[in-house]
Every structure is written in structure tokens, then in C-alpha cells.
Amino acid sequence: MPCILFAAPEAKWPAYHEALTNALAQHDIAASFVTPWQDRPADPAGIDYIIYDPEGPVRDFTPYTNARAVLSLWAGVERIVGDASITQPLCRMVDDGLERGMVEWVCGHVLRHHLDIDFFLVHQNGDWQGAQHAAPLARDRRVTVLGLGALGTAAAQALAGLGFDTCGWSRRPKQIDGVQTCHGPDGLEHVLRRADILVTILPQTPQTTGLLNHDTLAWMPEGAVVINPGRGSVLVDNDLLRALDRGHLAHATLDVFTIEPLPETHPFWAHPKITVTPHIAAQTRPDTSARVIAENIRRGEAGEPLLHLVDRAQGY
Ligand code: NDP
Ligand code: OXD
């Protein structure tokens, strides 16, 4: 019987306990669970799998000498990918719930800007003629998605499905039906120059940190919009503010930030051209993520390769 440490915030435990028990039962696995807050601390050497959440209490993995895998509830693993105390395989979260959530959030915010919904919200004033303002068709709007992984690919496909002239950018070459693709540092200028709306769904790594800065934001067309549900580190905050203030960029919709929670005094909160959402673009949900965790535990028990292994050298 595998022993699973649930190293996530205590508030998540009731929903996950039920979802994990059900998902493991689908594989005929009866597991025992331990939590960091239980009265009698468990023997770390007896833990077989660690379910990890960066907001949970576990920081040092050294005592878990017999753990067979660290299974992250988050897709982004920047907070632990370089942790030398993790000697076990590290798997990130890739699941249908996260993917659908991201697709819906991205499409909603792209459509807000594409249709200029904000304009109509402030022009509902009895002036029929004054509100005559039609958007181009989606096929005449160029959208670029930076990052074509599990989430970026799904978002790019959905945007292409809505008819947008969609282009995507990744580290390695990719082929996605209906989406033009470019890759590597040499492809970045091309994809930014055509980005009327830019969506960034990149992981935080040394290579992506500060990728969107004074020089690269200047490649974007006048009046372009940035939508960032990836990681805050991709943008240089002050360079973004300057590009908005001088009118080069029209708006930024930001879900993720270099410091989270975004400090109350941060200029993003009050900026008229910035929309802040509090890291809610895509949430890991107990029902869908428990199925992914259970499948990896099944694989671990059967000696099969684990899914969604993090490439520790690449950092994602
Ligand atoms: P993946 O690892 O599946 O995809 C990452 C993508 O980024 C890949 O296409 C990868 O290229 C590309 N990439 C990485 N480094 C570079 C680089 N240096 N240059 C160009 N492209 C690069 O991740 P997911 O799609 O699952 O998730 C992406 C990120 O979204 C997460 O890391 C997390 O930070 C964020 N996230 C945010 C959430 C929110 O609520 N705001 C929720 C969940 C995730 P290649 O394909 O060649 O490897
Ligand atoms: C994640 C996130 O990485 O929520 O899963 O940002």
C-alpha cells in the first residue's frame, strides 16, 4: 500500500482527500495518506509519493529518502525545479481542468480587446451614432501566443478556432494545425512585430526572465495589447509601464506578477491601462488533477515511466 504525503495547504485537504481516494480506487489502489499537520508526525522514510504545492509547508525533501516521485499540483515548477534536495523524479501538473480554464480565460480576455468591449461599457450614454464602432473580423486580427506547451497550444488552437490570425512561438520547432509557428530567439522579433494581441504562457526560467523588455516591447505594433497568464517574470514591469504611458501599447491584462500577491502599492493596481487578475487564469481542480496524480502513482507502482516529467536542466 503506497504511502502518500499531501504537502499542500491544509485547506485543500478535504476536497483532495476525497478526489484522490476516488481516483486511486479507479486503479484499485488503496493508499494511506499522511499530512504535515497531523498530530503524530509520520516517518519521512516511509513516504512513497509526495504531492507538492508551492504554498504548502514542505521545503526540504532530504528526509524523504524512499520517495519515488514528487508530484506537483502546479504546472509551473520554478520554485522547486532547482531544489537540490529533490533527488526523486519531479512531475508537473498537466491536466484537462487547467487547460480548459486557461483556454477560457485567454479567449475571454482576447475577445474583450478584439471587440473593444471597454469602449461600449463607457459609451452607453444614449448616443447611438457615437457608439458606432465595429471591430474587424477575427481573421484580420493578428494574435501571437508565446509558449506552445500544454496550455499555450490549447489556447492557440482555440484562438485559431475563433478565426484569429494566430501565430505561436516556442523553444523548439512545433507544428499545430491552423497556427503559424516560429521558434527560438531568432523567431521572437517576427512573432512580436505581428502581435496586435500578445498572449504569453511561458514558464519562468532564466531564458524567459525579462524577455519582454524595452527593446522587445518596441517591436510590437502601435496600440498592441499584452495578456500575460504565464509568469510575471517574463515582463520587465517598468518597461511595460513606460510602453503603456507613452501610448505604444494600449493595454496589458496581467494575471501573474514578479511578486505575488501583488503589493497593494504596486503601480499596476491603479494604472488605467492595466487590468489585474489575481493569479486565477487557470486553477488546479481536485477532481481533474487527482486523476493525473493517480495515474502517475499507478505508473510508479507498476514501474512504468511517469507522465509530465520536468526537464530539470531546462527548468520546466
Ligand atoms: P509547458 O512546459 O507545457 O510549455 C512551456 C512552453 O514554453 C513550451 O512551448 C516551451 O517550448 C516554451 N518555452 C520555454 N522556454 C522557452 C524559451 N526560452 N523560448 C521559447 N519558448 C520557450 O507549460 P504549460 O503550457 O503547461 O504552462 C506554461 C506556464 O503557464 C507554466 O509554467 C506556468 O508558469 C503558467 N501557468 C499559469 C497559470 C495561471 O493561472 N496563471 C496556471 C497554470 C500555468 P518547447 O515547446 O519548445 O519546450
Ligand atoms: C500553476 C499556476 O503553475 O497556477 O499551476 O500558476
Side-chain angles (χ1 to χ4, degrees):
M1 180 191 281
C3 181
I4 302 169
L5 171 68
F6 185 73
E10 189 172 354
K12 294 188 178 177
W13 177 232
Y16 272 98
H17 187 202
E18 187 184 349
L20 287 164
T21 305
N22 292 341
L24 287 163
Q26 299 289 315
H27 298 298
D28 291 327
I29 297 173
S32 66
F33 292 100
V34 299
T35 60
W37 53 86
Q38 69 192 32
D39 291 341
R40 275 189 40 217
D43 174 12
I47 304 292
D48 297 304
Y49 299 93
I50 302 171
I51 297 177
Y52 168 80
D53 184 311
E55 291 173 350
V58 172
R59 295 282 171 274
D60 179 12
F61 294 82
T62 325
Y64 304 101
T65 45
N66 294 313
R68 279 173 254 166
V70 176
L71 307 170
S72 173
L73 288 179
W74 284 39
V77 287
E78 70 279 357
R79 294 202 220 169
I80 51 164
V81 72
D83 186 335
S85 76
I86 303 179
T87 52
Q88 306 81 0
L90 169 62
C91 301
R92 58 188 211 93
M93 182 49 63
V94 176
D95 92 314
D96 173 65
L98 264 181
E99 183 191 299
R100 289 296 96 199
M102 185 61 85
V103 164
E104 291 171 17
W105 189 92
V106 166
C107 288
H109 286 280
V110 166
L111 285 169
R112 167 190 171 191
H113 294 296
H114 169 62
L115 297 174
D116 210 354
I117 287 173
D118 293 23
F119 173 88
F120 295 99
L121 293 177
V122 296
H123 284 83
Q124 190 172 322
N125 55 11
D127 179 4
W128 183 269
Q129 290 305 332
Q132 291 295 319
H133 172 63
L137 289 175
R139 66 183 178 219
D140 297 319
R141 184 84 74 186
R142 297 165 304 173
V143 180
T144 287
V145 179
L146 299 185
L148 293 174
L151 302 178
T153 295
Q157 284 173 323
L159 292 167
L162 287 170
F164 287 104
D165 179 355
T166 309
C167 169
W169 182 75
S170 50
R171 187 170 60 83
R172 297 164 292 185
K174 285 259 144 73
Q175 279 199 332
I176 304 171
D177 280 350
V179 177
Q180 305 156 48
T181 53
C182 285
H183 66 277
D186 295 345
L188 184 63
E189 181 169 351
H190 171 72
V191 300
L192 290 184
R193 285 206 182 277
R194 48 94 66 212
D196 298 325
I197 300 179
L198 178 71
V199 180
T200 62
I201 317 184
L202 288 164
Q204 177 175 330
T205 69
Q207 288 71 35
T208 62
T209 298
L211 190 78
L212 296 176
N213 53 46
H214 174 78
D215 295 338
T216 53
L217 290 173
W219 290 337
M220 294 177 65
E222 287 286 323
V225 163
V226 174
I227 298 177
N228 183 21
R231 281 293 181 264
S233 55
V234 77
L235 276 162
V236 177
D237 289 6
N238 285 334
D239 292 355
L240 174 68
L241 287 168
R242 273 195 283 272
L244 290 164
D245 289 341
R246 70 187 159 84
H248 179 65
L249 296 181
H251 198 95
T253 295
L254 310 173
D255 184 59
V256 283
F257 305 90
T258 321
I259 301 172
E260 292 186 9
L262 185 65
E264 263 179 59
T265 52
H266 196 286
F268 284 174
W269 280 115
H271 199 286
K273 293 182 180 171
I274 292 181
T275 300
V276 169
T277 61
H279 201 142
I280 47 72
Q283 309 258 289
T284 302
R285 289 154 214 270
D287 56 340
T288 54
S289 63
R291 288 199 282 270
V292 178
I293 299 275
E295 169 61 12
N296 257 344
I297 290 174
R298 184 199 68 72
R299 285 167 171 257
E301 293 301 284
E304 295 175 18
L306 299 177
L307 298 173
H308 318 309
L309 279 168
V310 171
D311 179 339
R312 309 275 301 256
Q314 290 298 333
Y316 67 96

